[in-house]
Structure formats: structure tokens, C-alpha cells
Amino acid sequence: MPGPISAEEMEEIREGFQKIDLNGNGFISPSELSDVFREVGFSLPGYKIREIIQSLDKDKDGQISLDEFTQIFLGLKDDHIAQSFRKVINKKEGIVAIKGTSEMSNEGTQHSISKQERFAFANWINASLEKDPDCQHFLPIDPNTDALFSAVGDGILFCKIINLSVPDTIDERTINKKKLTAFTTQENLNLALNSASSIGCQVVNIGAQDLKDGKPHLVLGLLWQIIKIGLFADIELSRNEAIAALLQEGETLEELMKLSPEELLLRWANFHLKSTGINLKNFSGDIKDSKAYFNLLHQIAPTSSEDGPGIDIDMSGINAKDPLQRAEYMLVQADRLGCRQFVTPADVVSGNSKLNMAFVATLFNKYPALTKPENQDWNLESETREERTFRNWMNSLGVSPYVHHLYSDMHDAMVILQLYGIINVAVDWNKVNRPPFKVAGNMKEIENCNYAVALGKSAGFSLVGVAGPDIHDGNPTLTLALVWQLMRRYTLNVLENLGDGEAPGEELIVTWVNNTLAEAGKTSSIRSFKDKAIGTSLPVLDLIDAIQPESVNFDLVKTGSLSDEDKLDNAKYAISMARKIGAKIYALPEDLVEITPKMVETIFACLMGRGMKKA
């Protein structure tokens, strides 16, 4: 019987699963399995694929879940089919085996990394941070060596690329940049990890020491999450209304809005390829011959106008006989558009799905070539700050599938039920209907939602007026009521585990905050989570300095009569400083300035958790 699974092994298994689960629905389907076998040169007939699914599929739902996938890699199934399956995954996308080196690793553990990803990410970092004066000590990174893994060791690189993907996530004033010691390096890595978590990166199994040691599979996994978030940021209808041009006949705007960024990218590519007769189903096998890319570049390249000269794509390379040479000719044309990123000719010809998707996202972001349909009166509401915070919190915990849209992605309650498990509310999975729902889908989804509401009530949540159909239909107010209580319980569980079992509430937290401030000789205090003083961020900064003395540079803090800009400046500094000392905070600076009681509670609760750990 295998030993307990380590955090590193679980991260590797999750990455392997995501390489095959291309649509991100949390399950490996027969078609996805067929694709991966074909990509690595083992094309199998349909009946063989079905045999593999049947052999590895414990609950007989016709697909492979993450749990079943985990059993395969733990060696609980050591028959020839499971062994063959592991070999295929190890061959996919050119991985290299790295022996586990940490104390957490089982002796002999092999961690797989992709040389292609290492090469692509190193080149992207070189181009993106080339002119940043704080990064010159590790730039340029040699993409053909393991230099990338040592470059991340002081935390500066991760902090910088987090701000590239989601600007202003980290207050640059909080990054330690000169004369780094072991302690100040640890602070940078804390800041990077907690900030990555706040933008929706799954970092549950990654520690600061892992990054300091440059563990390849963990570094690449986190880099990809951060890069992907930045690449996908504007591939969303409320942020780019021209995406409405992708509406298909008979499709509603609401249906289009439910598509994931990956699905929208595929829809966008096919929209531009329609006149060529090419129809892509994926960014792996279907793009290997570069012909779709040649035509896509031709379609999106700007034409001459008053804004500037056009760019004529040279299509002659499409007739090259050698696939690698053809891919190189195509990338030369992409370079003329300023879009030669992430892929090499070999990545195109091998059909590396992750890197090819990043390449297509780069094309979309620079040359979407879409025009919003005229005479359409749409009221597109952008994601609220609260919704984004909740969504990032869920994703940081590793729920599957990834939550792109808060309401539509929770319509079957699968994500909510996973969150119950994380906050230690027992879920009877025998009562749960698992997707895909082939018959009576809506009814089965509503049954799940009813069960989710019932679990919340049994856990002591206040859910008056909330019913399963409200969650299924995406009622914003009632769905947020449930999600907030899930997040609140998650936050307060930390305090309950650290204390003597007393259920923490506002009075307990406020008392602890004021006592801690007084003991440290601070003059600030709060009466409640609605106290006006919180809007200045001074009580938060004083508390951070009380927990970790002399950590706050008060020369940077604005005092006296503060403008809104001054308050926001203080709040940005406070949130980043809290993350830097080890508090996993999801709230945003605006929550402090506007004194949003719910988010203020999470900030003080997380700082209390950090302070109690110190004690």
C-alpha cells in the first residue's frame, strides 16, 4: 500500500490532470483522452479508449475524475493499462523527470517538468522585464538551462510578474530589493505567494522554501498560473464588448458570457477562419501544420488606414513541405505583428496545447480584429469587486473546475460542495449528482443546489429565503449570501484552530486587535468593523507593526487630513504589508478605504491568525 501523498506529489498530479482536461470541466472525457494519445503518437481506436476509461473509472460515470487520476499515479492501480497511461502522460509535451529533493518528497519521487515551458517562460520574462532596473541581477535568463529556477529564489521576479498580470496587486514599496538577507527574502516570497493567492492562483501546496529552492515543477506551475491570468484578463465580454461579434445564430448574450476564456479563444479563431473552411477543435492537434495560424495571421493583420500602415502577411511559407520549416515561416510573420511569443516551431508541430493557447491569447490581445455589433442596446455589468474577491478565493483553494464566472460556474453546486469540504463541513458525496448530466440535467443540478443549501443550514449559516433554485439560477444576492458565509467560515476556522475552540466573532476579534495595539504602545484603536478610522488604514498598519515590530516604514504612511488618494495609497501599502508578514488576505485596498465591513472582518481575522501564530 503506498504511503501518504505529499503536497508536491499532489501538485504534480493536479498539473498532469489539467494537461489532459482541456475544457477545464474537472473530468477527463473519452475525446480528451483520445487527443492526448494521438498527440504522443499512440493513435487508438474508439473502443480501446473506452476500455481504458472503463478500467480506470471507479464510479462508472464514463469519465475520469481527479480522484481516479490520483489513484493511477499513486500506483493503487498497477495493471498494464494504468502503467501505459502513466507513460503516455510522461511523454506528453516533452517533460523531463526531476528527482524529489525536499524532506516532504518520498525518496525516489520523480517530478516532471516541461523543457518547452521552461524555455517559453524564460523568454517571456526576459522580454517583459527587460527594462526593469530591479531585475537586472537575474536578467537575461538563459532559457536553455535551469537558470530560471534560481532566478525566482529572492521573490522579486514573482512579485514583478504578478503586477504584470494584475497591475497594482503588490505595492512596489513593500518589495525588499537591496542587500537581501534570509529574512527579507522570506518576506518577499511570503508577499509573492499571498498576492498570487489573492489573484486566484492555487498555492495550497507551495511554500516559500519551495520557491527559494527553485523546485522546478512548482515554479513552472505557479508561473503558468500567473501568466495565464494576465493573458486571459481581457478575454471576457464585460471587459471587451467587441467579443459580442462572436455570437452565433440563436445564441443569447447570456450564453456567450458563460463561455470560458479558452472556449472564447477557440470561438474567436474559428470566427476569423470561417472563410478559409478551417474549423479548429483544439489548440493541439489541429494547429500542428501551421496552416490555421497562417490564415489567422492573414485575417487579423491590420490594413492600411489613417491610424498607420498595414501589415501584409507573406503567405508563401504555407506551402513549405517540412512542418518545422513551415512553422518557422509562420512565426516570422507573427513576429512582424509583435506576437512571436511562447511557441517555437517544435511547440507548434508537437501541438503543445498550453503554449499554443498562450500564443493564440497573445494574438487576441494585440489584434482582436472584432467590431461590436451595431444597434444593440446591451447593459453589460462588469464583475464587482466583491464577486472577484470571492472567485479568486475559490480558485486559490484549487476547486475544480476553475471558476471563471461566479454564478454560472456554480449552477450545479459542485464548487460549493468542494468548499464545504475545505471548511470541514462533511459532505456525503453519495448524495451528489456528478456531471456530466445526460438525463434530467437541470433537475439533478437543482438537487445538488438543494443539498448545498441544506448543508449550509446544518452548519449554522444564515440562509433565510435561500433555496437551491436560487443558486442554480445565479441569483446574485442570495448566491453571494451563501458564498460570503463559506469564506467567513474558512477565515474564522484558522482562529478557532489556534485558540481554545471558542467560536470567534466581531467582539472577540476587535478586543484582540485593541489589546495587541495597546500592548505595543500604539495609539490607534477600532470600535467595530465599521469604524471610520479604518478608512485611513492606520489601525491596520499599526497592527501589522505590532505583530512584526519595525516592519512598517511609517515615513511612507500619510497622516493628518487625508484625501481619497492618500487613503488609497495607505490602503495599498497596508494590504501588501499584511501579505508580506504572512497574512493570506484576499480583500482589496478599496475595501479598507470604503470600510466594507465583510472584507474588513477578513483582514483583521487574518492578521489575528498571524499574530496568534507568533504567540
Side-chain angles (χ1 to χ4, degrees):
M1 189 75 178
I5 186 168
S6 74
E8 287 185 70
E9 288 172 319
M10 192 63 230
E11 180 65 18
E12 180 186 358
I13 289 169
R14 190 184 297 276
E15 286 181 17
F17 184 82
Q18 291 170 348
K19 285 180 180 178
I20 307 174
D21 179 25
L22 296 178
N23 66 3
N25 72 342
F27 297 90
I28 296 173
S29 67
S31 63
E32 288 169 331
L33 190 58
S34 178
D35 284 345
V36 74
F37 271 90
R38 187 176 65 252
E39 285 175 39
V40 298
F42 297 117
S43 185
L44 296 177
Y47 78 92
K48 282 287 187 185
I49 295 294
R50 289 191 292 275
E51 281 182 7
I52 293 173
I53 291 281
Q54 289 167 4
S55 171
L56 306 177
D57 174 25
K58 291 195 305 179
D59 58 12
K60 306 305 176 187
D61 61 354
Q63 55 192 352
I64 300 174
S65 67
L66 177 59
D67 179 59
E68 290 160 347
F69 190 82
T70 302
Q71 305 311 309
I72 296 165
F73 272 79
L74 283 177
L76 296 182
K77 292 189 70 67
D78 276 324
D79 56 45
H80 71 283
I81 289 180
Q83 291 170 7
S84 299
F85 189 44
R86 287 195 289 270
K87 287 179 182 177
V88 167
I89 305 307
N90 287 340
K91 188 173 179 182
K92 181 174 169 61
E93 300 185 357
I95 61 174
V96 176
I98 302 291
K99 203 164 190 178
T101 55
S102 76
E103 293 179 5
M104 294 180 66
S105 299
N106 295 329
E107 190 169 346
T109 296
Q110 296 288 313
H111 299 295
S112 58
I113 68 162
S114 165
K115 289 190 293 184
Q116 289 92 329
E117 288 176 23
R118 182 189 67 189
F119 188 89
F121 298 164
N123 281 331
W124 179 82
I125 290 166
N126 287 338
S128 301
L129 299 177
E130 180 182 15
K131 296 180 181 178
D132 192 317
D134 300 325
C135 301
Q136 298 311 303
H137 62 290
F138 59 73
L139 292 180
I141 298 169
D142 185 344
N144 294 301
T145 70
D146 286 339
L148 172 62
F149 306 124
S150 58
V152 304
D154 63 12
I156 294 175
L157 187 155
F158 271 116
C159 288
K160 293 288 185 174
I161 67 167
I162 286 170
N163 274 350
L164 283 177
S165 283
V166 184
D168 287 334
T169 298
I170 295 175
D171 187 327
E172 286 262 348
R173 297 173 295 177
T174 62
I175 305 173
N176 300 318
K177 300 174 182 177
K178 296 179 180 179
K179 297 180 180 178
L180 295 178
T181 64
F183 178 73
T184 55
T185 295
Q186 174 79 20
E187 286 187 319
N188 280 350
L189 293 167
N190 286 341
L191 176 60
L193 281 171
N194 288 326
S195 298
S197 184
S198 77
I199 64 172
C201 294
Q202 198 259 314
V203 298
V204 172
N205 297 317
I206 307 174
Q209 192 63 43
D210 296 320
L211 300 185
K212 189 175 181 179
D213 293 342
K215 291 182 180 173
H217 63 295
L218 296 178
V219 169
L220 290 179
L222 183 55
L223 280 173
W224 171 239
Q225 289 188 75
I226 296 167
I227 292 169
K228 185 178 178 183
I229 286 169
L231 287 173
F232 285 2
D234 290 327
I235 308 175
E236 204 261 308
L237 188 57
S238 66
R239 297 186 66 166
N240 186 346
E241 293 189 4
I243 289 176
L246 303 180
L247 271 169
Q248 295 180 343
E249 188 175 350
E251 186 177 39
T252 66
L253 201 63
E254 288 71 24
E255 289 169 331
L256 183 66
M257 290 180 73
K258 291 179 182 179
L259 297 182
S260 68
E262 294 94 334
E263 291 169 323
L264 282 173
L265 274 180
L266 201 58
R267 174 82 65 93
W268 171 76
N270 285 326
F271 173 83
H272 285 299
L273 292 171
K274 190 174 183 180
S275 62
T276 69
I278 297 173
N279 185 61
L280 299 178
K281 294 183 174 61
N282 54 60
F283 293 125
S284 50
D286 287 0
I287 50 79
K288 286 183 176 182
D289 64 5
S290 298
K291 293 181 180 180
Y293 281 157
F294 261 113
N295 283 283
L296 181 59
L297 294 174
H298 178 68
Q299 292 292 328
I300 65 174
T303 56
S304 297
S305 68
E306 58 185 26
D307 296 327
I311 300 175
D312 292 324
I313 298 299
D314 181 355
M315 296 289 287
S316 62
I318 200 171
N319 297 314
K321 292 183 179 180
D322 180 64
L324 279 171
Q325 188 63 58
R326 192 185 312 129
E328 172 59 27
Y329 287 148
M330 179 275 296
L331 289 172
V332 168
Q333 299 307 307
D335 195 29
R336 295 178 62 214
L337 297 177
C339 296
R340 184 168 184 160
Q341 286 189 336
F342 295 108
V343 291
T344 63
D347 296 328
V348 175
V349 173
S350 68
N352 185 308
S353 57
K354 180 184 293 185
L355 298 181
N356 276 281
M357 184 166 58
F359 173 59
V360 176
T362 301
L363 294 175
F364 175 93
N365 287 326
K366 194 151 189 179
Y367 296 102
L370 297 174
T371 303
K372 179 184 174 183
E374 297 180 356
N375 303 320
Q376 298 288 347
D377 185 21
W378 291 321
N379 181 23
L380 295 176
E381 294 186 5
S382 297
E383 184 177 46
T384 67
R385 198 170 66 238
E386 183 181 34
E387 290 164 352
R388 184 167 73 254
T389 299
F390 289 151
R391 185 172 58 78
N392 287 339
W393 166 67
M394 293 174 185
N395 288 327
S396 75
L397 298 176
V399 296
S400 181
Y402 190 91
V403 180
H404 293 290
H405 309 294
L406 188 63
Y407 304 113
S408 59
D409 288 350
M410 294 199 299
H411 70 286
D412 61 3
M414 292 300 294
V415 167
I416 295 173
L417 293 169
Q418 291 172 60
L419 292 171
Y420 276 126
I422 291 169
I423 64 170
N424 301 321
V425 173
V427 177
D428 183 351
W429 288 100
N430 292 320
K431 294 182 179 180
V432 179
N433 302 308
R434 297 174 185 259
F437 305 109
K438 298 174 182 176
V439 181
N442 275 358
M443 185 179 299
K444 291 183 180 295
E445 291 169 357
I446 292 174
E447 286 176 357
N448 283 355
C449 293
N450 286 336
Y451 181 46
V453 173
L455 277 177
K457 291 179 178 177
S458 69
F461 290 1
S462 175
L463 296 173
V464 178
V466 181
D470 299 316
I471 308 301
H472 180 265
D473 296 341
N475 180 298
T477 302
L478 300 181
T479 301
L480 290 177
L482 173 56
V483 173
W484 156 241
Q485 291 179 82
L486 285 163
M487 184 178 183
R488 183 176 187 270
R489 179 67 61 87
Y490 171 81
T491 304
L492 298 184
N493 274 356
V494 176
L495 301 185
E496 193 168 337
N497 293 338
L498 288 172
D500 57 7
E502 181 181 359
E506 180 172 0
E507 184 177 350
L508 181 68
I509 296 172
V510 169
T511 299
W512 181 88
V513 167
N514 288 331
N515 287 343
T516 304
L517 289 169
E519 289 170 7
K522 306 293 184 182
T523 57
S524 60
S525 64
I526 59 171
R527 294 186 299 274
S528 71
F529 297 141
K530 298 178 182 179
D531 195 306
K532 289 184 178 180
I534 294 169
T536 68
S537 296
L538 296 178
V540 179
L541 287 162
D542 277 342
L543 183 60
I544 292 168
D545 201 63
I547 294 169
Q548 188 165 304
E550 299 184 9
S551 59
V552 174
N553 181 355
F554 283 98
D555 290 339
L556 301 175
V557 180
K558 310 288 197 312
T559 57
S561 179
L562 301 181
S563 65
D564 289 342
E565 186 177 347
D566 291 336
K567 291 178 181 178
L568 184 59
D569 201 50
N570 280 354
K572 288 178 178 179
Y573 185 55
I575 293 294
S576 285
M577 280 304 305
R579 292 170 180 159
K580 182 177 178 177
I581 69 165
K584 186 173 284 189
I585 286 174
Y586 294 90
L588 299 171
E590 291 84 355
D591 294 317
L592 281 176
V593 175
E594 297 173 15
I595 317 176
T596 310
K598 289 179 181 178
M599 293 301 140
V600 167
E601 178 179 5
T602 66
I603 292 170
F604 282 115
C606 288
L607 285 170
M608 181 177 175
R610 169 65 179 82
M612 290 173 70
K613 281 183 182 178
K614 174 190 170 186

